[in-house]
Amino acid sequence: MKNKLLAVVLLAFMAFTANAQEGNLKALLFSKTAGFHHESIKEGVTAIQELCRRHSMQLDWHEMNRVFSDEGLKNYDVVIFLSTTGDVLNDEEQAAFERYVQNGGGWVGIHAAADTEYDWEWYTKMVGMMFKIHPRQQTAYLKVEDSNFPGMGRFPKTLLWTDEWYEYQKPALAKDLHYLVSVDESSYEPYAKWGDNEGVGMGDFHPISWYHEYDGGRAFYTGLGHISGVFSDQTFLDHLYGGIYWAATGNGIK
């Protein structure tokens, strides 16, 4: 009798555990490049895998774009573009991803996700601001613009940081961006010139991370993440997971 009771309890526990696992959030990590390939992608994949394990979020990693279909995307709560570059999706795949977001899906863009799909207007508006140019890698001061967002608790008011500072095209392509972090251009040399492409900085306000609701879903972007070592920095990891969590759920803003 005791053995039968134990078996029943064990089966019930296994069923509960399976249901709990099925209820976990699920993320797609996408790191395909059709242009420059960042060395930090390797460390970024490892870091995001560990973040998802830590927070009981299921994660699939793809560099092939065949997953971008209605069937392939339907079970994901959030899609993460890790330093993607260039034209990575065809017209059918783009349409499937648009439907995914319109149905409430979330998107997270890291660093060169803003250097991706310039001719896809819907995507550029989702990102909010697209990459223009960057100067040499330098140390600069970051400034928190809004701490009322998941993962921002570890950020001090200002923070000395070394990374590759993207200058973004102006004006912003979305009018509802909520800025989280900016970089102080007076703390580094923003000038850059690549042929006819010249960058002199963005002026008094240079955003580096933001979020907004977009076309039925949610979009979060951070320009940090060029350097491999960033992906072992706990402040950045908190910032990144906060964006993933919000994009996946819409929760965390008080």
Side-chain angles (χ1 to χ4, degrees):
M1 182 69 177
K2 289 183 178 179
N3 288 339
K4 289 183 179 181
L5 180 60
L6 181 61
V8 170
V9 171
L10 181 59
L11 287 172
F13 175 76
M14 291 173 63
F16 172 80
T17 303
N19 288 336
Q21 290 175 342
E22 289 174 1
N24 286 345
L25 297 171
K26 190 170 184 179
L28 168 64
L29 177 59
F30 186 58
S31 57
K32 180 179 178 179
T33 58
F36 183 80
H37 183 88
H38 283 73
E39 293 182 2
S40 60
I41 288 175
K42 178 181 178 181
E43 286 77 10
V45 169
T46 301
I48 293 169
Q49 288 173 331
E50 182 57 35
L51 273 177
C52 288
R53 280 193 293 268
R54 166 67 181 84
H55 293 282
S56 300
M57 179 181 287
Q58 299 177 59
L59 178 72
D60 293 332
W61 170 37
H62 286 275
E63 288 196 328
M64 301 298 290
N65 47 339
R66 59 177 176 266
V67 69
F68 284 85
S69 66
D70 292 334
E71 183 67 23
L73 294 172
K74 69 179 184 180
N75 292 322
Y76 292 109
D77 299 285
V78 60
V79 175
I80 305 164
F81 276 35
L82 172 59
S83 281
T84 52
T85 52
D87 297 329
V88 292
L89 300 178
N90 65 29
D91 291 347
E92 291 182 359
E93 293 156 352
Q94 290 176 3
F97 187 61
E98 289 182 18
R99 290 190 292 270
Y100 163 79
V101 172
Q102 289 160 356
N103 287 328
W107 175 82
V108 166
I110 303 169
H111 194 57
D115 188 26
T116 301
E117 297 286 0
Y118 289 90
D119 295 328
W120 182 9
E121 183 180 5
W122 181 92
Y123 177 87
T124 66
K125 290 180 178 179
M126 179 181 68
V127 179
M129 301 185 78
M130 298 297 289
F131 168 71
K132 180 183 187 297
I133 198 171
H134 67 75
R136 61 184 174 83
Q137 181 178 296
Q138 298 171 67
T139 299
Y141 271 109
L142 293 176
K143 178 184 177 183
V144 172
E145 299 293 335
D146 183 2
S147 59
N148 183 29
F149 189 81
M152 295 298 295
R154 195 180 295 268
F155 265 95
K157 186 175 180 180
T158 59
L159 176 65
L160 199 62
W161 194 270
T162 303
D163 219 312
E164 183 178 77
W165 305 114
Y166 275 8
E167 178 180 334
Y168 300 95
Q169 297 174 4
K170 296 170 67 175
L173 299 170
K175 297 181 180 180
D176 61 344
L177 300 180
H178 300 278
Y179 297 109
L180 295 171
V181 183
S182 64
V183 58
D184 182 356
E185 288 186 353
S186 70
S187 64
Y188 75 101
E189 174 50 64
Y191 181 78
K193 184 174 176 59
W194 303 348
D196 294 333
N197 185 9
E198 184 174 20
V200 295
M202 298 185 69
D204 293 336
F205 182 63
H206 186 149
I208 206 70
S209 178
W210 54 82
Y211 71 96
H212 67 143
E213 294 184 357
Y214 180 71
D215 202 17
R218 293 163 300 279
F220 165 88
Y221 172 80
T222 180
L224 305 177
H226 172 77
I227 300 174
S228 298
V230 167
F231 288 96
S232 61
D233 187 290
Q234 193 60 51
T235 300
F236 175 72
L237 294 176
D238 285 1
H239 171 57
L240 178 56
Y241 184 72
I244 294 171
Y245 169 73
W246 175 81
T249 67
N251 297 332
I253 300 175
K254 298 178 181 179

